[in-house]
Amino acid sequence: MVPAAPIVVFGRSTTFTVLTLATVVMMATASGPSPLCPLYRERWDFSDTMVTVVFAVYVVGLLGALLTVGSLSDRLGRRPVLITALLPAAAGTAVFWTADGVLSLVVARVLQGVAIGTAMSGLASGPVESSPPGPTVTAVGTNVGLAADAAVVGLLVQWVPRPDAFVFSVLTLVFLVLAVTVVRIPETVVPGAGVPASLRPRARIPQGARPRFLAAVPALVAGRSVTGLFLAPAPPSSAASCT
């Protein structure tokens, strides 16, 4: 039997680029459906309540994943957890791509929330471990992803007959390519025990990081408030949003 060829592992700079791209694309899926909500409402004629439901299930999936499996990459390794997160992300965009009603939107948003919540730890830690400016690039990449996809999809709504099919087919392909590519990033975590304990929901700020965290809170709140203003559900008389 011919032995399988060893997997060629990326260097630090390539790993940093792949993880940064994954961050941007992952966050882009969170805002991408927003400009499409008027299109969906016209197509399926659903109520303001359903807009809120589609909004809320994403948050439920995101917080649920963050509080349970969000730290798994510290136990199982960055690579397997990121691959595991990219696959449901691809499934979520695929459901959006083939959506045939409001239930499809709900399922897709839950998958997106779970995928992003699962990936965030690895996507935040990976660039830091592969490059000194990792924290800055991670923060910038998150906001670039949120803004860029909403802007691009908003333009496509004006120009393309089926912008949802175009956008989500491309994103599905990109996620699948990223899942295959992440196989080649170097693993920076030695898998260890304690996985069941890590699934217990908890939230805390390390003692040494608390002064910096508190100093950053006003800017974080202001930035997220502006983002929420433009991406929140809106009345039917204006451009409604799904995120």
Side-chain angles (χ1 to χ4, degrees):
M1 178 181 292
V2 179
I7 297 176
V8 178
V9 178
F10 290 141
R12 292 170 64 90
S13 60
T14 304
T15 298
F16 179 77
T17 301
V18 169
L19 294 177
T20 301
L21 178 61
T23 300
V24 172
V25 177
M26 188 71 79
M27 297 311 301
T29 62
S31 62
S34 183
L36 296 170
C37 201
L39 182 152
Y40 289 137
R41 295 185 68 162
E42 180 180 351
R43 186 181 299 169
W44 296 312
D45 191 28
F46 54 87
S47 65
D48 293 343
T49 301
M50 287 310 303
V51 174
T52 304
V53 169
V54 173
F55 170 82
V57 294
Y58 165 78
V59 178
V60 171
L62 176 66
L63 289 178
L66 283 172
L67 291 174
T68 54
V69 299
S71 62
L72 272 185
S73 70
D74 294 331
R75 304 285 185 176
L76 300 180
R78 310 293 183 215
R79 189 165 52 199
V81 172
L82 285 176
I83 294 171
T84 302
L86 287 165
L87 294 178
T93 52
V95 173
F96 265 120
W97 178 10
T98 59
D100 58 1
V102 179
L103 180 60
S104 297
L105 301 184
V106 172
V107 171
R109 291 298 279 166
V110 170
L111 287 170
Q112 286 184 329
V114 171
I116 292 174
T118 303
M120 284 310 296
S121 176
L123 290 178
S125 302
V128 176
E129 295 163 347
S130 53
S131 179
T136 301
V137 173
T138 298
V140 172
T142 298
N143 290 294
V144 166
L146 286 170
D149 200 44
V152 170
V153 175
L155 292 174
L156 288 175
V157 167
Q158 308 296 321
W159 298 338
V160 180
R162 282 293 306 274
D164 52 332
F166 178 82
V167 169
F168 292 119
S169 61
V170 171
L171 285 174
T172 300
L173 178 61
V174 170
F175 278 127
L176 292 176
V177 171
L178 282 171
V180 173
T181 305
V182 166
V183 172
R184 297 178 59 182
I185 69 172
E187 183 55 74
T188 56
V189 173
V190 178
V195 171
S198 72
L199 299 177
R200 185 175 65 252
R202 63 189 186 279
R204 71 181 184 86
I205 304 169
Q207 184 71 34
R210 289 178 186 176
R212 286 174 292 175
F213 175 81
L214 294 175
V217 165
L220 291 171
V221 171
R224 292 302 179 184
S225 298
V226 173
T227 302
L229 175 65
F230 286 98
L231 296 179
S237 58
S238 60
S241 167
C242 282
T243 60

